[in-house]
Amino acid sequence: KVACDGLIECAKDEEVRGRCVTKLKASVLLTLLAYANVFCWFCIPLRIVYAVFGWPDLEAWSDAMGFRLPLELAILWQLSFLVPHVYFVLLELFATSHIDEMFFATLRTLNKPLHDDLLKRKRDSYWATVWKVTKRSLQMIFFGIILSILSFTPYLGYFVFPAASTYLHMKVVGKQVGLILGVLSLIPAVQPYAGAVLKLMLASYSMSKDLLAPYQLRLHDRTQQVYLNRRYFGSLLGFCAPFVLLTSVPVLGIFIFPLSQAATPYLLVNILARNQSKDLVTPLFGEEHVPPYVKPGKGSSALPAHEKALDPVVG
C-alpha cells in the first residue's frame, strides 16, 4: 500500500516528475549495463555448468512457457530478479548522487525538517559503501550457490528450498504461518512457485537496503541499522516486492527505477511514525520530526492530512 501511495504522490509532484525525466537517460544506460553484467557473470557461467553436468532442462522450460527462447535468454529470464540488485550496485559504485537526489527531492516535499536534519549528517565514506555493497552481493551469490548445490543432492535436495522458504516466511509473517507455508512448499505442484517466492523475497530484501541507502548510510549507529532491517523486515519486503517485479521487466524497469527511489521516503516516514507507537523499541534517527502513528479505531490519527498515504503496510 505504501509503495502504491508513494508512486501516486510522486507522479503528482511536478518537481519529482521533472527529476525522473532528467534521470531517464542514466536509467537506460544503467539498466542495459545491469542486464549485460547479469548475462556475463551469471548466465554464461550457468550455461557452461548446464552443458557439463546436464542440470535443469531450460529449453523444456521455454517450451512449457508457450514460446521458444535460446538457452541463454531462458537463463536470463530466470535470473531477472538479480537485475535490480546489479542496477543499484552500479549506482552505488559510479553514481551515488543519483540515489540521493531522487530520495531527498521527495523527502524535502514530504517532511522538510527531517530532510534538513538528515542532509546534515555525513554519509559513509565511498570505500565503506563499496565494501558493504560487495559484501551483500557476495552473500547473495554464496547463498544462491549453496542452495543450488544442495538442491541437487539426492533426498536432501527435496527439502532445501522449502527449508529456506520457511525461514524467510517466519521472519515476515510469524512462526505459525511461516511453518504452514513451508509445509505447503513440500508439495511437488507448489515447489516451483515456492522457489519463485523465495527469489522474490531475497531480491526485495536486498533492494530495500539499496533504496534506503541515503538514510541507512547516514546512521552511524549499527544498532539502529540492524534494528530497522530486522524489526521492519516484513514492511521492507512488502514495499519492495512490487518494484522488484516491475523493474525485472526490461523496458518497464527503465521508468520504474527512478520512481522507486523517489517513493522510498514514504516508506521511511511510515516506519519512523510507527516506531514511536511501540513500547521498548530502539529509537531511530529522525523520528522526532514525524508525528507518531495512531491505529484507526484508537483515536484520531496523529498524521497530518497530506500524510494519510502513509498508513502502514501489514506485517
Side-chain angles (χ1 to χ4, degrees):
K1 186 178 185 297
V2 176
C4 294
D5 291 335
L7 279 176
I8 293 172
E9 294 300 320
C10 288
K12 292 179 181 178
D13 191 304
E14 186 176 349
E15 180 184 356
V16 174
R17 287 203 312 270
R19 285 183 177 273
C20 287
V21 171
T22 60
K23 300 298 182 183
L24 278 181
K25 186 182 294 184
S27 182
V28 171
L29 176 60
L30 287 167
T31 302
L32 292 175
L33 287 174
Y35 272 99
N37 275 273
V38 171
F39 186 82
C40 291
W41 298 106
F42 294 94
C43 295
I44 293 178
L46 277 178
R47 178 66 177 90
I48 296 173
V49 169
Y50 292 152
V52 174
F53 294 97
W55 285 351
D57 186 1
L58 290 181
E59 290 180 338
W61 174 85
S62 297
D63 292 337
M65 290 293 291
F67 51 88
R68 189 77 172 180
L69 283 176
L71 190 54
E72 289 78 7
L73 292 182
I75 298 172
L76 183 61
W77 184 298
Q78 285 203 329
L79 293 177
S80 60
F81 73 97
L82 288 171
V83 172
H85 173 71
V86 176
Y87 177 94
F88 284 107
V89 167
L90 293 173
L91 270 182
E92 287 288 356
L93 295 180
F94 305 111
T96 303
S97 61
H98 186 104
I99 300 178
D100 283 3
E101 285 179 20
M102 297 302 300
F103 180 88
F104 282 107
T106 303
L107 187 59
R108 182 170 59 250
T109 303
L110 185 62
N111 192 309
K112 186 67 162 57
L114 176 59
H115 165 273
D116 295 342
D117 204 9
L118 184 60
L119 205 54
K120 292 176 184 176
R121 293 175 71 89
K122 186 178 180 181
R123 209 177 195 269
D124 281 355
S125 67
Y126 173 77
W127 291 112
T129 303
V130 169
W131 165 243
K132 288 181 180 180
V133 170
T134 304
K135 181 181 177 182
R136 189 166 73 252
S137 301
L138 292 176
Q139 286 175 340
M140 286 185 65
I141 295 172
F142 178 76
F143 188 67
I145 291 174
I146 293 298
L147 284 181
S148 298
I149 293 175
L150 291 177
S151 67
F152 294 111
T153 306
Y155 304 109
L156 177 64
Y158 184 77
F159 300 96
V160 170
F161 283 104
S165 298
T166 302
Y167 172 73
L168 286 176
H169 285 142
M170 283 182 173
K171 296 189 70 172
V172 178
V173 295
K175 293 183 179 179
Q176 293 79 9
V177 179
L179 185 60
I180 293 173
L181 292 173
V183 172
L184 288 175
S185 65
L186 289 170
I187 302 173
V190 178
Q191 279 195 347
Y193 303 100
V197 171
L198 177 63
K199 290 192 293 185
L200 175 61
M201 293 174 70
L202 291 173
S204 300
Y205 184 57
S206 176
M207 189 180 195
S208 70
K209 292 189 175 184
D210 295 319
L211 290 177
L212 281 171
Y215 177 76
Q216 292 216 43
L217 293 180
R218 289 175 170 83
L219 291 179
H220 306 305
D221 181 0
R222 176 165 170 75
T223 302
Q224 292 188 37
Q225 296 180 16
V226 173
Y227 169 77
L228 174 63
N229 291 325
R230 291 182 179 176
R231 176 62 186 82
Y232 295 99
F233 185 84
S235 297
L236 297 177
L237 260 62
F239 179 84
C240 292
F243 290 124
V244 171
L245 293 173
L246 292 173
T247 53
S248 297
V249 180
V251 178
L252 185 60
I254 294 172
F255 303 95
I256 297 299
F257 276 123
L259 286 174
S260 66
Q261 298 163 49
T264 303
Y266 284 86
L267 171 66
L268 174 61
V269 174
N270 169 266
I271 289 175
L272 295 181
R274 293 168 59 198
N275 197 60
Q276 299 175 70
S277 63
K278 304 182 183 301
D279 298 327
L280 301 175
V281 297
T282 300
L284 293 171
F285 173 80
E287 65 181 33
E288 66 275 10
H289 299 301
V290 180
Y293 175 78
V294 178
K295 289 186 178 180
K298 293 188 178 182
S300 59
S301 175
L303 291 177
H306 70 282
E307 293 179 9
K308 287 183 179 179
L310 301 177
D311 290 345
V313 292
V314 178

